[in-house]
Amino acid sequence: MIAELGLAMLWMAAALAVLQLVAGALALRPATAHLAGVVRPVAMLQGLLVACAFAALIWLFLNTDLSVKLVAENSHSAKPFIFKLAGTWGNHEGSMLMWVTIMSMAGGFVALIEKRLREETLIATLAGQAFVSLGFYAFLLLASNPFTRLPEPAPEGAGLNPLLQDIGLAFHPPTLYVGYVGLSIAFSFAVGALVTRDVGPAFARAMRPWVLGAWIFLTLGITAGSYWAYYTLGWGGWWFWDPVENASLMPWLAATALLHSCSVLAARNALRTWTVMLGVIAFSMSMVGTFLVRSGILTSVHAFAVDPTRGSFILALLAIYIGGALLLFALRASTVTEGARFAVVSRESALVFNNVMLCGILGIVLVGTLYPLLTEAMGVKVSVGPPYFNPVSAVFAIPMMLVMAVGPVLRWREDKGGRITWQIAVPAAVMAAALLAVELLFAPINLLPALGLAIAPGLAVASLQPLVGRNLRRTPLATYGMVIGHLGIAVALFGMASEGAFSTERLAAMNPGDSQQVGPFKVTLQDIGPVAGPNWTALEATVAASYAGGAATVLHPQARVFANPPGNRTESALLTRWNGQLYAVLGEEGEDGRWQMRFWWKPFVPMIWYGGALVALGGLLALMGRVARDVKRLVATDKIAWRRERQGR
Amino acid sequence: MRGLLLALLALIALSAPLAAQDMLPPAPYAYKQLADPAQERKAQALMETLRCLKCQSQSIADSDAPMAGDMRHQVRTRIAAGEEPEAIRQWLIERYGDYVSYTPQVKPLTWPLFAAPLLFLALAAFLLRGRFRRSKGA
Amino acid sequence: MSTAEQSKRPGLAVWLPLGLFAGFLALVIVGLYWPADREVSSAFIGKPLPAFDLPPATDERPGLATAQFQQGGKPRLLNVFASWCVPCAVEAPQLAALAKQGVEIDGVAIRDRKEDVARFLGQYGNPFARIGKDDLSQVQLAIGSSGVPETFVVDGKGIIRYQHIGDIRQEDIPLILRKLAEAEGGAQ
């Protein structure tokens, strides 16, 4: 009953999306302009219906309704509650429903609150949003219905893949989806603005909170995903430039660029074409990423069978939406004048530089990810990996970070280098001193980590400079957001460089009682024994680790075995100190009865993720600042309107 | 991230029989470091740039596949015997093609990969020409 | 905003994103519908077998060394297999059929124990003239093989002529025989 109800609500929501699109499109013509009043309520109702459909699917998963095919294939009655919940979106159909849900709810929310934009542009935006949603409704209803019943209820569910039975991965995909979908709103705004030729500061201000929100979630998603890969894959790596990682990085890079060009457009009415372009690109990258992951087009050797129909469907959506938007862009961009100019030394040009460099990185990530596909089409296999991505992206990232150090203290429109001599000199001095210290104390270090260790402290100092000489209580929240965001980049950079420069690895075959030295740690394997979890069993090692002769801390790395469905997973154990992390992995038992243990000491490695979290926090502060200001303005205009209405009577 | 890919692939492969694994212990230098730290550093740097042939896009330095272990053994014993890392890379490329190396080799087929960054910068310069206002003093 | 500050309108550059996107679409359509072979084939075809000398993998057959491929004579098959590999068991009847037709087959057992190899051969038949034991995948790496089973055609001078990746199916037998005949012709 619940399943049928869910499906019915999904169909109704799809029908409302059609209505929203048609009414929105007609409302743009003078003859049928009266239809505009329909669009907002329909958008809200559509969001509500699809949210109910998603709630129905969650209910089915929580109750393990085994007569539903999706539940039977992906859940199991003996699974912990949290993974029953996460199982809802831990599969193709459920994740697509989640995608549509977030997308339609966001659309409904725009319809509810957005008041600054010209009504016409907003209607075009909502019509665009309905158009995008429709593709995903079609995908769901025609090719991946989550509510299909089985002819006979299954006796028991097949369970959730062990890799997915992890709290990190349970919430990683939804985080990224929220980010992707937030960018779809930005995309719709860009399309709406192109349709009505209405690209200006109001458009940028309306779009900015959505971009910020999306960007916060993408930042969190990538940070959490990186940490998840770090502790689950069991080899201490935190970023591999794997196609799937790149697929999540590309939208982030585009959104970061968009965020910055939005501020230029909002504040100075410049970079109009460029911002609209980025609005389209950012969502394109989300869809390209989804396509690359779901179609399996880039998976490698001895691959599993890939389902080409899903890939085809996403590709068709991609071609329609992105191709259509880019065509619209090409036709309309020449009517969107580019806006105000600025001097070479100005905040705008620093932001433009940042944009160009971010797009440069985006470009090489895209090219590097797709290049193997290109050569394969010509019959040659190549691999493009970290030895390409690291140095080539650094070519763009290093100048970008140097400009980032001074950009925030520059004035809009026009500035003089002489005015900010001190603000340039202090970070430069810090960088030079750090570089000297690194070279003298720790040589030999590879070039990139050394540069990272030098730039990070300078950038950290520079990121705080916009606060110098200001009344800290009257500084806007958005400024704090920027400061903390930039500081987060410096912190993450320091973590990355330190990990690259100072990690120590220790592989050892050990008997219980044996000890090893890992960097400053002395680790002793004390015992190995079996343990049982809710739906797994494991071999667990007891490892005592003492830092520089201090008291010992006990670690428990595990090798877990799952039964439903069968699978293995290593569970590494981490010991976090303020100055780094000890990483312990239990390997296999050798023929001589000794255990293969792997240890790493990674100085300051958690700063990578602390930095990521700081960046997201900065985004959150900026968002709060912007929204609070918008709400204030909204209340004020409402008051004026109300007074006018009363006076009119 | 990559884990997501693995998980998705695993989901797809659930119905397929599990691949059989051999019962032999790993090769001596699969999980054992070289005694000389300088040599081990060289070997590690090389292993991080060699692709595991049996895995989903992983380097041999972070894979548990037995064949990756055997490749690590090869790399470590060859480095210990005094071979240069690049010679080992070439030895493998001779056998498996460029696929085995994560470091793209500079050759006619790959020049666009290295030209791309320059191209992007040139493109940006082209698009932004005339965007800047001359400063008032000039 | 004064109109003097407005820049001139963008020209053809606005079509660039659409052009690039079309290129991307073309690329992924080719990749999706005409996917390249996912196997990693050996780059060692046409090159002489590298030097190796493997101990026997079973007491019933001698070990395997490069020299045995270089004595002139007929082309031989070099089958890379393992007792723990399911497709290897699946291709056993095809190897037996080839052996019955007079094809000489040598085996390399990858990461295997003697007792397991003996059990495997007892169960699925033994078409091999010689079987070398490759515990560290050294020969496998040296000839550019990336998995089991793989079958190489090696001519009388010890030159690798052809590589078959994966298990040999019934329908692959004519191709293997043709490659053997070509190798014989080429070597003379």
Side-chain angles (χ1 to χ4, degrees):
Chain A
M1 186 54 206
I2 295 288
E4 284 70 26
L5 199 63
L7 188 59
M9 287 190 286
L10 207 52
W11 274 106
M12 280 194 284
L16 285 177
V18 175
L19 181 61
Q20 185 179 332
L21 172 63
V22 173
L26 289 177
L28 293 177
R29 297 167 169 228
T32 42
H34 56 278
L35 281 171
V38 180
V39 176
R40 279 192 197 241
V42 164
M44 290 183 241
L45 190 58
Q46 183 210 337
L48 192 67
L49 273 175
V50 75
C52 292
F54 187 56
L57 190 65
I58 291 179
W59 193 90
L60 293 173
F61 266 87
L62 290 183
N63 289 289
T64 319
D65 184 340
L66 293 169
S67 67
V68 174
K69 186 159 168 257
L70 191 66
V71 179
E73 280 173 359
N74 294 289
S75 197
H76 192 277
S77 56
K79 225 164 46 167
F81 173 84
I82 191 78
F83 295 120
K84 282 186 184 172
L85 179 67
T88 316
W89 55 80
N91 55 74
H92 168 74
E93 288 84 355
S95 64
M96 288 320 287
L97 179 56
M98 178 180 228
W99 174 298
V100 173
T101 306
I102 303 171
M103 195 178 231
S104 301
M105 283 174 66
F109 201 61
V110 171
L112 185 66
I113 60 155
E114 184 52 53
K115 301 253 163 75
R116 284 158 303 185
L117 220 49
R118 247 173 58 202
E119 189 64 14
E120 211 187 10
T121 307
L122 182 77
I123 298 298
T125 300
L126 288 175
Q129 183 74 10
F131 186 48
V132 176
S133 305
L134 264 180
F136 289 92
Y137 281 122
F139 190 19
L140 261 179
L141 292 167
L142 305 180
S144 27
N145 178 7
F147 293 109
T148 311
R149 292 265 191 194
L150 286 172
E152 289 284 315
E156 186 48 275
L160 181 67
N161 183 293
L163 269 171
L164 286 170
Q165 298 201 26
D166 176 277
I167 198 75
L169 201 60
F171 292 96
H172 172 59
T175 316
L176 283 181
Y177 288 162
V178 174
Y180 288 172
V181 173
L183 292 181
S184 88
I185 303 282
F187 174 84
S188 301
F189 272 118
V191 169
L194 277 174
V195 167
T196 57
R197 297 182 176 88
D198 185 20
V199 181
F203 153 75
R205 289 199 192 102
M207 180 163 86
R208 181 160 55 187
W210 294 97
V211 179
L212 253 175
W215 181 81
I216 294 166
F217 277 98
L218 287 178
T219 308
L220 284 176
I222 294 174
T223 306
S226 155
Y227 190 67
W228 180 84
Y230 169 75
Y231 83 75
T232 340
L233 294 180
W235 288 90
W238 56 272
W239 192 262
F240 302 86
W241 295 105
D242 173 275
V244 174
E245 293 171 346
N246 294 350
S248 72
L249 181 65
M250 288 187 289
W252 184 85
L253 289 168
T256 312
L258 176 60
L259 195 61
H260 289 86
S261 81
C262 251
S263 0
V264 177
L265 181 55
R268 296 278 310 131
N269 197 12
L271 300 184
R272 292 184 194 160
T273 324
W274 178 256
T275 305
V276 171
M277 179 69 224
L278 280 178
V280 174
I281 295 276
F283 182 56
S284 310
M285 287 303 148
S286 314
M287 284 200 69
V288 166
T290 311
F291 167 74
L292 293 181
V293 176
R294 299 271 166 129
S295 67
I297 194 169
L298 283 176
T299 56
S300 51
V301 284
H302 298 199
F304 304 100
V306 161
D307 183 355
T309 46
R310 279 177 198 166
S312 308
F313 219 112
I314 302 178
L315 188 60
L317 296 182
L318 191 74
I320 294 170
Y321 297 137
I322 309 309
L326 290 176
L327 182 66
L328 183 66
F329 173 79
L331 293 173
R332 287 288 164 86
S334 45
T335 67
V336 178
T337 46
E338 283 198 28
R341 292 200 189 189
F342 38 84
V344 175
V345 181
S346 65
R347 172 128 18 135
E348 288 98 319
S349 66
L351 285 165
V352 164
F353 187 81
N354 142 309
N355 261 256
V356 168
M357 292 297 132
L358 280 169
C359 291
I361 300 174
L362 174 62
I364 67 122
V365 174
L366 188 62
V367 167
T369 307
L370 293 176
Y371 208 75
L373 203 59
L374 184 68
T375 64
E376 256 176 39
M378 296 189 275
V380 185
K381 279 183 191 308
V382 299
S383 297
V384 181
Y388 172 77
F389 289 111
N390 283 336
V392 180
S393 60
V395 165
F396 294 94
I398 290 173
M400 180 179 81
M401 292 198 210
L402 294 179
V403 171
M404 195 175 134
V406 292
V409 293
L410 283 171
R411 283 189 184 142
W412 291 109
R413 232 171 132 225
E414 185 167 9
D415 204 347
K416 292 231 158 35
R419 192 183 63 82
I420 52 164
T421 316
W422 279 107
Q423 281 105 316
I424 297 174
V426 171
V430 173
M431 286 182 198
L435 188 61
L436 198 67
V438 165
E439 287 303 326
L440 288 180
L441 296 177
F442 304 112
I445 287 183
N446 289 338
L447 178 66
L448 287 182
L451 285 177
L453 289 171
I455 292 174
L459 187 57
V461 170
S463 66
L464 297 173
Q465 288 188 138
L467 295 179
V468 173
R470 284 184 91 139
N471 181 341
L472 291 184
R473 291 172 117 192
R474 299 189 57 186
T475 305
L477 215 45
T479 305
Y480 279 111
M482 175 190 75
V483 165
I484 289 178
H486 286 182
L487 182 65
I489 297 285
V491 169
L493 176 68
F494 187 78
M496 295 171 195
S498 169
E499 198 269 346
F502 305 127
S503 288
T504 347
E505 181 182 50
R506 190 85 210 116
L507 309 175
M510 298 170 85
N511 278 317
D514 288 354
S515 290
Q516 286 285 342
Q517 195 69 30
V518 188
F521 275 96
K522 187 184 172 199
V523 292
T524 310
L525 177 63
Q526 292 182 326
D527 188 24
I528 289 194
V531 289
N535 57 342
W536 46 263
T537 53
L539 274 177
E540 184 179 88
T542 306
V543 176
S546 88
Y547 183 84
T553 312
V554 175
L555 291 174
H556 292 290
Q558 296 175 338
R560 286 189 187 170
V561 181
F562 289 78
N564 294 306
N568 300 326
R569 205 178 81 200
T570 60
E571 193 77 4
S572 53
L574 299 170
L575 171 59
T576 310
R577 283 175 51 89
W578 67 270
N579 62 345
Q581 226 167 21
L582 178 72
Y583 188 118
V585 177
L586 169 63
E588 299 197 353
E589 188 180 10
E591 281 204 323
D592 55 358
R594 294 195 297 171
W595 292 86
Q596 244 342 299
M597 302 295 297
R598 307 201 287 263
F599 299 100
W600 285 268
W601 165 243
K602 292 175 175 287
F604 298 107
V605 70
M607 288 177 83
I608 297 174
W609 305 291
Y610 293 150
L614 271 183
V615 173
L617 175 68
L620 184 66
L621 289 180
L623 182 64
M624 282 160 54
R626 300 280 180 216
V627 170
R629 195 183 274 187
D630 288 348
V631 168
K632 242 183 233 167
R633 201 172 289 164
L634 206 67
V635 171
T637 42
D638 273 2
K639 259 187 198 156
I640 294 168
W642 182 72
R643 265 186 218 141
R644 272 193 197 147
E645 206 166 287
R646 245 182 28 164
Q647 280 165 1
R649 260 176 208 166
Chain B
M1 310 259 130
R2 188 235 308 265
L4 190 59
L5 166 72
L6 291 176
L8 289 171
L9 286 172
L11 285 177
I12 296 164
L14 267 186
S15 51
L18 288 173
Q21 284 281 346
D22 61 301
M23 305 297 286
L24 230 53
Y29 279 100
Y31 291 96
K32 188 172 156 201
Q33 290 161 302
L34 292 170
D36 177 355
Q39 283 187 337
E40 173 63 22
R41 249 201 315 278
K42 259 190 187 173
Q44 184 67 25
L46 176 62
M47 291 187 300
E48 280 167 10
T49 66
L50 292 176
R51 186 167 193 153
C52 165
L53 296 160
K54 300 277 325 167
C55 332
Q56 300 291 338
S57 74
Q58 277 173 306
S59 78
I60 61 168
D62 43 30
S63 167
D64 280 313
M67 193 174 178
D70 287 347
M71 286 173 80
R72 288 198 295 273
H73 174 77
Q74 279 271 339
V75 168
R76 285 202 172 104
T77 45
R78 280 164 181 264
I79 293 273
E83 231 178 289
E84 278 308 309
E86 282 316 298
I88 302 172
R89 185 194 305 283
Q90 287 312 321
W91 187 86
L92 280 164
I93 288 179
E94 250 173 57
R95 278 148 183 86
Y96 293 100
D98 289 345
Y99 184 79
V100 76
S101 168
Y102 269 126
T103 316
Q105 305 294 297
V106 181
K107 47 173 68 175
L109 191 68
T110 54
W111 70 261
L113 210 46
F114 298 94
L118 299 175
L119 196 72
F120 290 135
L121 286 181
L123 197 68
F126 170 76
L127 289 178
L128 289 169
R129 79 196 189 294
R131 277 286 61 223
F132 296 109
R133 195 165 52 99
R134 291 215 174 168
S135 91
K136 277 173 194 157
Chain C
M1 206 63 40
S2 72
T3 41
E5 280 191 86
Q6 307 281 352
S7 77
K8 63 170 188 269
R9 293 170 174 189
L12 277 177
V14 293
W15 291 94
L16 191 72
L18 191 62
L20 289 175
F21 181 67
F24 165 82
L25 276 188
L27 179 61
V28 295
I29 285 173
V30 169
L32 199 60
Y33 297 105
W34 296 274
D37 201 355
R38 291 255 150 139
E39 310 290 354
V40 185
S41 46
S42 172
F44 229 50
I45 315 292
K47 295 189 183 163
L49 215 52
F52 60 84
D53 190 359
L54 293 174
T58 167
D59 294 334
E60 298 165 29
R61 293 287 189 275
L64 191 64
T66 315
Q68 292 149 352
F69 288 89
Q70 296 164 336
Q71 294 159 346
K74 281 204 311 177
R76 311 171 69 87
L77 287 184
L78 177 61
N79 181 249
V80 182
F81 77 103
S83 70
W84 44 265
C85 131
V86 179
C88 301
V90 173
E91 76 170 357
Q94 282 72 256
L95 285 181
L98 282 165
K100 204 181 258 176
Q101 294 183 41
V103 178
E104 290 180 45
I105 307 174
D106 295 320
V108 173
I110 304 293
R111 305 188 58 83
D112 230 332
R113 286 180 229 262
K114 270 193 167 181
E115 58 267 33
D116 294 331
V117 174
R119 180 187 45 74
F120 179 85
L121 297 176
Q123 198 171 347
Y124 300 106
N126 183 351
F128 301 108
R130 292 180 283 255
I131 309 176
K133 190 170 179 314
D134 189 9
D135 288 351
L136 301 171
S137 314
Q138 275 169 324
V139 171
Q140 189 177 28
L141 289 171
I143 59 175
S145 151
S146 50
V148 279
E150 284 185 17
T151 309
F152 292 82
V153 173
V154 184
D155 73 11
K157 289 175 181 163
I159 314 280
I160 302 175
R161 290 295 178 185
Y162 179 72
Q163 177 195 27
H164 181 91
I165 299 175
D167 53 315
I168 299 175
R169 301 284 168 95
Q170 196 65 45
E171 60 269 25
D172 297 325
I173 291 182
L175 177 70
I176 301 277
L177 287 172
R178 201 173 73 234
K179 290 293 175 186
L180 281 164
E182 280 171 16
E184 190 161 19
Q188 277 162 5

